[in-house]
Amino acid sequence: APPASTHGTPSIPLAPAPDAPVWDVSNFSLVDGHLVLVGRDEEASCRSRNRTGSSTSESTNLHPASGRRDPAADERSTRGAGRSTENETPPTSQFSNVKGLLWKRFWERKGRGVPKTETSAVVVPDGERVPSRSGSRESLLPPPSAAELDLTGDNVIIRPVHGSIVGEKFCFQIITGEGSRSFGCTSLAERDRWIENLRRTVQPNKDNCERLELALSLWVYEARDLPPRRRLRCHLHLDGTLFARTTAKVAGPDGELFWGELFQLAALPPTHALTLSLCRDDHPGQPVASITVPLAELAAARQPLERWYPLSCPGGGERVPSVRVRGRYREVRVLPIVRYKELAEFITFHYRELCARLEPTIAVRHKEELAGALVRVLQSTGKAKSFLIDLGVAELDRFDDREALIFRENTLATKAIDE
């Protein structure tokens, strides 16, 4: 059977608009396959931001998703809201538990009627929202009534969003048949935890299904022969959709510009081409120059491919701009987890013998890749700490009196510690 597709319908854009609102994920709770807004009103949970950099921003509101709020104030407001609800509800009712309280608040909020911010839409008796007459029907901004997001339907996509698009460092996006919404977290660990929990809610049997995971790792280093003294960005498009962009920097008098930025794009849809476009910061819709790179070229190389790519200019000129990038595109076919059982058991109980046999025979680049894989596997089986200790002790025994070389050579121990 072919791998189960983890991507949604192609009619929904897979990248949010740069001015799309970002919802504070701390005000949401996952209940029975629904993402429910609790703790705050919708106006306070959804905020627009002023974007100032590629992956950071300064918020004009009180509670940015990328910043820390006052936990005491949040606790007081949450306790106040919970106390008023609990006083009205007998302890023996169905709302005496946490799940019941969440659902009660949700239905109370849903029954309030149209929010104050909604001026151009009407609500029909069955609760469905009629599109605005004056608004664009193609807009994917979330409707004002966003207290509930159903994750039990088909073709639901949960993917991380690069901070350069939405102006927040740690964001993820939920795409359904109705549209897409972006959520901001306070840390990378929190974002990864939310993504994993939501994906398992959408597909509880994910570990038992074969799937294809696509990821792009790209370094955008520098450009040359650019129009001097122009403030430029490098935009990354996959099959015409903007997925990331560098910070805006001014090209020098000699036409050289250095970014040195790394982009890790995971959970990608099936794509065929990467387009690098140089755009002016004040006119992002008009590329100064661009180049299209087939992803098959980046996937064919075992190691990341680095080279200068000449860019094509709309008007032409004497000097042809070029950009230096280093990237790798990976298509990983993931089998059902039961197929990895014997391999995981072998690595867990025989990693010492495996490392001793492979250490003197493989190249340095292979050591780095092997050490990273071993650390991730043993971390999942709870043996990563013992693995690092054993490799460290073996490193000490091998060098013995040559203490200056301990943990300074390209060994599996040093690569595993780095990982």
Side-chain angles (χ1 to χ4, degrees), residues 230-250:
R230 291 285 182 87
R231 190 174 180 85
L232 301 173
R233 294 178 184 263
C234 184
H235 290 202
L236 280 63
H237 294 80
L238 294 176
D239 286 354
T241 303
L242 177 64
F243 271 78
R245 56 185 179 179
T246 64
T247 54
K249 293 187 177 181
V250 179

Side-chain angles (χ1 to χ4, degrees), residues 78-364:
T78 306
R79 287 181 178 177
R83 190 181 300 114
S84 62
T85 306
E86 292 170 359
N87 291 338
E88 298 172 359
T89 307
T92 57
S93 69
Q94 62 174 337
F95 300 117
S96 59
N97 54 41
V98 176
K99 187 181 296 184
L101 285 172
L102 294 177
W103 277 113
K104 182 179 180 182
R105 292 178 188 175
F106 162 63
W107 288 115
E108 285 179 352
R109 186 179 289 106
K110 194 171 184 179
R112 292 176 187 171
V114 183
K116 294 180 180 180
T117 56
E118 183 176 2
T119 58
S120 59
V122 295
V123 179
V124 294
D126 60 355
E128 295 188 3
R129 185 172 180 271
V130 177
S132 168
R133 294 182 180 179
S134 59
S136 172
R137 298 194 178 190
E138 298 176 357
S139 176
L140 293 180
L141 296 180
S145 181
E148 178 191 11
L149 189 61
D150 187 4
L151 303 178
T152 59
D154 298 332
N155 296 323
V156 178
I157 304 173
I158 295 96
R159 56 176 295 273
V161 178
H162 196 266
S164 61
I165 300 298
V166 294
E168 293 291 342
K169 278 188 176 181
F170 314 111
C171 290
F172 64 91
Q173 183 186 19
I174 299 179
I175 304 173
T176 63
E178 300 176 355
S180 65
R181 295 172 188 166
S182 300
F183 296 85
C185 303
T186 57
S187 66
L188 180 62
E190 182 185 18
R191 188 198 70 178
D192 293 344
R193 185 168 59 251
W194 269 99
I195 290 177
E196 181 64 21
N197 292 338
L198 291 172
R199 285 177 177 172
R200 292 194 178 278
T201 300
V202 173
Q203 192 178 9
N205 201 32
K206 183 184 73 169
D207 289 339
N208 299 323
C209 299
E210 183 178 336
R211 63 187 186 273
L212 191 66
E213 294 187 353
L214 310 176
L216 174 65
S217 175
L218 190 73
W219 275 100
V220 179
Y221 287 121
E222 58 181 325
R224 62 189 180 190
D225 296 330
L226 299 176
R229 299 181 178 85
R230 291 285 182 87
R231 190 174 180 85
L232 301 173
R233 294 178 184 263
C234 184
H235 290 202
L236 280 63
H237 294 80
L238 294 176
D239 286 354
T241 303
L242 177 64
F243 271 78
R245 56 185 179 179
T246 64
T247 54
K249 293 187 177 181
V250 179
D254 53 357
E256 294 183 355
L257 179 58
F258 181 82
W259 287 291
E261 297 183 20
L262 173 64
F263 298 90
Q264 300 278 8
L265 306 178
L268 295 175
T271 51
H272 301 89
L274 165 69
T275 301
L276 303 172
S277 302
L278 293 179
C279 302
R280 294 175 55 180
D281 194 28
D282 52 350
H283 294 87
Q286 301 176 0
V288 176
S290 63
I291 181 66
T292 299
V293 181
L295 289 177
E297 179 180 328
L298 299 179
R302 180 69 176 174
Q303 297 297 320
L305 180 63
E306 180 178 344
R307 57 174 294 189
W308 284 92
Y309 288 96
L311 307 178
S312 59
C313 302
E318 297 181 0
R319 298 192 305 175
V320 178
S322 56
V323 61
R324 182 168 69 97
V325 298
R326 180 173 183 260
R328 183 183 181 188
Y329 181 69
R330 289 173 293 173
E331 298 180 353
V332 180
R333 180 168 166 257
V334 183
L335 302 176
I337 195 170
V338 68
R339 302 280 295 274
Y340 299 100
K341 182 180 179 181
E342 290 187 33
L343 176 62
E345 290 178 352
F346 175 79
I347 292 176
T348 302
F349 297 106
H350 302 283
Y351 59 79
R352 297 182 186 88
E353 297 88 340
L354 179 65
C355 294
R357 294 290 184 90
L358 294 178
E359 178 85 54
T361 61
I362 60 177
V364 173

Side-chain angles (χ1 to χ4, degrees), residues 344 374-384:
L374 290 176
V375 168
R376 290 190 291 271
V377 171
L378 294 172
Q379 177 73 15
S380 65
T381 61
K383 289 291 185 178

